[in-house]
C-alpha cells in the first residue's frame, strides 16, 4: 500500500535551517513526481516545490533561493532542505505523490510534519 511518512520537523529560529524527510513505500518511487505542500495556520494548502527523477525542480516564488528539494531513490526518500527560515514558513509540511503523467495532481499524502519558525 502506498505510504508516505514525513519526519524531521521542529522548532527553529528565524534564519535557521532544517531538513525534513519523507519515507515512501508501496510504489516505485522513482517513477513518480514528488512534491512538498504546506499549510500555515489559518491558511489553505500551498504548493512549495516539486521534483522529478531527472532532477528537474519547480519552486514556489515564496521559497525560491531558500528551499531545495532532493530525493534519494535508493532509499525511497524525499527531502526538503530549508534555509534562511522565516516566521511565515511556519506550517505543517506534507509530501505528496503526483498522479502518473502529472506534476501537480496529488493523489497520496503523508501525515505531515510541523515546522515552527520562532525566536
Amino acid at each position: 500500500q502506498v505510504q508516505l511518512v514525513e519526519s524531521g520537523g521542529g522548532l527553529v529560529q528565524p534564519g535557521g535551517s532544517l531538513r525534513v524527510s519523507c519515507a515512501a513505500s508501496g510504489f516505485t518511487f522513482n517513477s513518480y513526481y514528488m512534491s512538498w505542500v504546506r499549510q500555515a495556520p489559518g491558511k489553505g494548502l500551498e504548493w512549495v516545490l516539486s521534483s522529478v527523477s531527472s532532477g528537474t525542480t519547480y519552486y514556489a516564488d515564496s521559497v525560491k533561493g531558500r528551499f531545495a528539494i532532493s530525493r534519494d531513490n535508493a532509499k525511497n526518500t524525499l527531502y526538503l532542505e530549508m534555509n534562511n527560515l522565516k516566521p511565515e514558513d511556519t506550517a505543517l509540511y506534507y509530501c505528496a505523490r503526483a498522479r502518473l503523467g502529472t506534476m501537480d495532481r496529488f493523489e497520496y499524502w503523508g501525515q505531515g510534519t510541523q515546522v515552527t519558525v520562532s525566536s
Side-chain angles (χ1 to χ4, degrees), residues 43-119:
K43 297 184 178 180
L45 293 169
E46 177 191 16
W47 167 81
V48 182
L49 312 92
S50 292
S51 175
V52 300
S53 59
S54 65
T56 301
T57 302
Y58 298 88
Y59 298 85
D61 289 341
S62 60
V63 304
K64 194 170 186 178
R66 300 188 299 116
F67 288 15
I69 189 171
S70 62
R71 60 198 299 162
D72 186 338
N73 289 328
K75 296 182 178 180
N76 292 341
T77 302
L78 183 75
Y79 300 98
L80 174 61
E81 302 275 357
M82 298 178 285
N83 299 300
N84 191 24
L85 283 160
K86 304 175 180 180
E88 51 264 43
D89 294 319
T90 295
L92 186 63
Y93 284 76
Y94 300 93
C95 64
R97 193 191 83 175
R99 187 175 301 167
L100 273 177
T102 78
M103 187 176 295
D104 57 359
R105 272 65 172 177
F106 310 122
E107 58 181 352
Y108 290 102
W109 302 72
Q111 85 289 347
T113 186
Q114 179 67 40
V115 174
T116 301
V117 184
S118 176
S119 60

Side-chain angles (χ1 to χ4, degrees), residues 18-39:
L18 195 67
R19 185 180 75 167
V20 297
S21 303
C22 173
S25 61
F27 64 98
T28 304
F29 182 68
N30 62 7
S31 295
Y32 291 84
Y33 292 172
M34 299 295 296
S35 299
W36 288 98
V37 183
R38 68 185 181 185
Q39 185 170 33

